[in-house]
Amino acid sequence: MPISSSELAIVDRPKTNSRIFAHTRWDAIPVSAAVLHCAYFFGMFYLFPRVPLWVMIILGFIYSVSISWNINGISHNFIHNPYFRLPLLNRFFSILESMTVGFSQIFYECIHMQHHKGNADRPDEHGETIDWISIYKHGHEGEAEHPFKYTFFSFFREDPKTVFKELKRKNPREAFWGVFELASFATTFVILGILNWRYICFLLPFYYFGHCLSYLNGYYRHYCGNPDEPIAWGVSSYDKLYNWTWFYNGYHAEHHFRPKVHWTRMQAFRDQIANQQRAAGVRVIKPPHALAFLDPDLPRRKQSGARPMESEAVS
């Protein structure tokens, strides 16, 4: 039987008397990380003509990983629990994030909220999914799409026009700011290209690869989850280093079940619903999501839509 809300413990959202942060002063950590990430982005441009190519290649790969790290940690938590009390600070932070990771934070929020509406749903009789980025959307016979295709093709499937229309329907003002953010990061890239065209040619492959890594992360956050069971929509990883550095991105089954739980409360929330998760067969993997293909218990893809076996569920 489905688990009702009344049967589950609710973790209170953190409260603070800070005049800057809306929820907790711990949010200073992801905010600081975002500022450092932005500095790293522009620092690469400064270093490009000053260091050997092999050093830049290493920095480029770090930049690729950092894009996924930011999107799935800093940016993702910001969507559900904006960090600041003042709307103006949240607006500035949103623009900063857009310039750093190379796409509109507001557009990302729209796509991500649509993701939560569908929760990686399977296509209907017309081949459509509620979730625009569902891993089943381009699959066949109810299976998830092959991870290689999902990882490297999803970037080119993004449809800014559809996102803009949805934003405009909900809030024309936010649609304007979304376009402004798109223009901001595009202008940044153009200026960098004008100043040093070799650098932008160097940067773009790493930029693309970073977004591919983000899609890889997203794929395994739902691969072998149960689209028909709310408490088991997502797949979790409890690797400590992963969650400490990615701001508890690993608690994804918990996040999809209660999206507004703050990242600092994820572990406490999981502890309270562990028995219900076990009963529902929530899948847990050992490595971080982006390395889930290394999980020793990873089922074959033809089993991806099935309910996880007990040996693969929450222990």
Side-chain angles (χ1 to χ4, degrees):
M1 295 291 293
I3 306 297
S4 67
S5 299
S6 61
E7 296 178 77
L8 296 167
I10 300 298
V11 176
D12 292 334
R13 300 180 71 184
K15 297 178 181 179
T16 180
N17 59 2
S18 171
R19 295 183 179 181
I20 298 176
F21 296 102
H23 306 287
T24 170
R25 288 180 172 87
W26 284 106
D27 280 336
I29 298 176
V31 169
S32 299
V35 173
L36 290 174
H37 189 204
C38 185
Y40 182 91
F41 171 67
F42 287 105
M44 286 178 59
F45 175 77
Y46 173 80
L47 291 174
F48 183 73
R50 295 172 172 84
V51 300
L53 180 59
W54 66 269
V55 173
M56 286 305 304
I57 291 175
I58 295 174
L59 294 177
F61 276 110
I62 294 174
Y63 173 64
S64 294
V65 174
S66 72
I67 289 177
S68 179
W69 164 75
N70 192 325
I71 291 172
N72 293 286
I74 302 168
S75 181
H76 175 241
N77 285 318
F78 179 66
I79 284 175
H80 292 283
N81 294 292
Y83 297 135
F84 302 103
R85 287 190 183 279
L86 293 177
L88 183 61
L89 287 179
N90 285 320
R91 181 70 69 194
F92 283 150
F93 188 80
S94 183
I95 295 171
L96 175 77
E97 282 288 273
S98 300
M99 293 175 61
T100 303
V101 300
F103 75 107
S104 167
Q105 173 74 24
I106 292 174
F107 273 50
Y108 172 38
E109 180 177 357
C110 181
I111 294 169
H112 188 71
M113 290 307 178
Q114 192 71 22
H115 170 61
H116 275 281
K117 288 181 182 178
N119 294 290
D121 57 325
R122 296 185 180 91
D124 58 20
E125 62 273 13
H126 304 293
E128 298 296 326
T129 57
I130 298 173
D131 179 0
W132 295 333
I133 56 174
S134 172
I135 64 174
Y136 298 99
K137 184 171 185 177
H138 297 280
H140 301 285
E141 299 179 358
E143 293 184 21
E145 184 178 13
H146 192 283
F148 181 90
K149 285 185 63 180
Y150 185 85
T151 298
F152 292 101
F153 287 17
S154 291
F155 179 86
F156 302 104
R157 293 169 178 163
E158 293 182 0
D159 186 1
K161 291 183 179 179
T162 299
V163 179
F164 176 76
K165 288 179 181 178
E166 182 66 13
L167 279 171
K168 190 175 181 180
R169 182 184 68 82
K170 291 181 177 180
N171 190 332
R173 185 169 180 268
E174 285 301 288
F176 164 79
W177 281 109
V179 173
F180 179 84
E181 290 178 348
L182 287 174
S184 296
F185 93 77
T187 301
T188 300
F189 274 49
V190 169
I191 291 175
L192 293 180
I194 293 173
L195 294 175
N196 190 335
W197 67 268
R198 292 182 177 85
Y199 174 74
I200 206 67
C201 292
F202 164 84
L203 179 69
L204 287 177
F206 292 105
Y207 164 78
Y208 163 70
F209 185 57
H211 284 271
C212 290
L213 291 178
S214 180
Y215 280 111
L216 176 65
N217 186 285
Y219 183 91
Y220 284 111
R221 288 190 301 187
H222 289 279
Y223 179 73
C224 294
N226 188 345
D228 303 314
E229 180 64 51
I231 201 171
W233 277 328
V235 175
S236 290
S237 168
Y238 302 129
D239 181 87
K240 289 185 178 180
L241 181 61
Y242 171 44
N243 282 291
W244 289 344
T245 55
W246 291 59
F247 305 103
Y248 287 79
N249 178 66
Y251 288 70
H252 205 65
E254 295 79 3
H255 170 69
H256 264 267
F257 193 53
R258 289 292 183 271
K260 295 300 289 184
V261 174
H262 193 270
W263 65 273
T264 59
R265 296 290 195 267
M266 277 298 176
Q267 187 171 354
F269 181 57
R270 188 258 173 172
D271 291 342
Q272 294 189 37
I273 65 172
N275 290 334
Q276 290 89 343
Q277 286 183 313
R278 188 178 298 108
V282 172
R283 177 159 175 78
V284 176
I285 57 177
K286 294 179 177 64
H289 287 108
L291 300 176
F293 52 86
L294 301 176
D295 187 73
D297 298 322
L298 190 70
R300 295 179 180 176
R301 195 162 55 90
K302 66 180 181 180
Q303 301 171 340
S304 62
R307 179 188 177 92
M309 297 174 61
E310 187 65 27
S311 61
E312 299 163 353
V314 173
S315 58

